[in-house]
């Protein structure tokens, strides 16, 4: 029965200059907005055009949305970050949350494989 628990992903602490920033897992209420913002960001980054990445982050609200919901930074502080720093932090937040999802999928797949092997 001890394997029937759900582990909550731990926050990740990053250093932003001399300040600690906590990266939190995306919450269910923000999941759709996070997915849209992260998906759009990944598409723009894959195109390899830095100007397009800056334009997307500024115009779409993705930067404020992702950093506001998944970090410990206030909206005031986010608005005052240098653009390259904000973009790098946003990409790191997407990467960390992607890692949380990957871990959950691996755990779910191994549990399902165990259940299926017991039935066979």
């Amino acid at each position: 029965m001890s394997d029937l628990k759900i582990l909550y992903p731990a926050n990740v602490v990053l250093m932003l200059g001399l300040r600690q920033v906590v990266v939190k897992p995306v919450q269910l209420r923000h999941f759709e907005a996070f997915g849209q913002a992260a998906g759009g960001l990944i598409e723009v980054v894959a195109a390899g055009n830095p100007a397009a990445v800056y334009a997307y982050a500024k115009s779409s609200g993705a930067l404020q949305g992702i950093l506001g919901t998944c970090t410990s930074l206030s909206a005031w502080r986010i608005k005052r970050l240098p653009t390259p720093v904000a973009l790098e932090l946003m990409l790191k937040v997407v990467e960390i949350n992607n890692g949380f999802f990957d871990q959950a999928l691996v755990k779910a797949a191994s549990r399902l494989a165990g259940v299926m092997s017991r039935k066979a």
Side-chain angles (χ1 to χ4, degrees), residues 3 10 23 33 43-44 46-47 58 73 81 92 94-95 102 110 120:
D3 63 336
V23 177
E43 286 177 21
V44 174
K58 184 176 180 180
L73 294 173
L81 288 173
K92 196 66 174 166
V94 169
E95 178 185 327
D102 288 346
S110 66

Side-chain angles (χ1 to χ4, degrees), residues 39-108:
L41 176 65
I42 291 168
E43 286 177 21
V44 174
V45 168
N49 182 352
V53 175
Y54 287 118
Y56 173 77
K58 184 176 180 180
S59 66
S60 70
L63 188 102
Q64 188 70 31
I66 289 174
L67 295 182
T69 59
C70 294
T71 70
S72 59
L73 294 173
S74 67
W76 182 88
R77 176 106 25 224
I78 292 168
K79 289 179 185 176
R80 282 153 184 79
L81 288 173
T83 304
V85 172
L87 284 171
E88 186 174 354
L89 181 59
M90 182 171 63
L91 290 168
K92 196 66 174 166
V93 168
V94 169
E95 178 185 327
I96 289 169
N97 270 282
N98 187 41
F100 292 151
F101 295 132
D102 288 346
Q103 289 172 9
L105 289 173
V106 167
K107 288 176 189 173

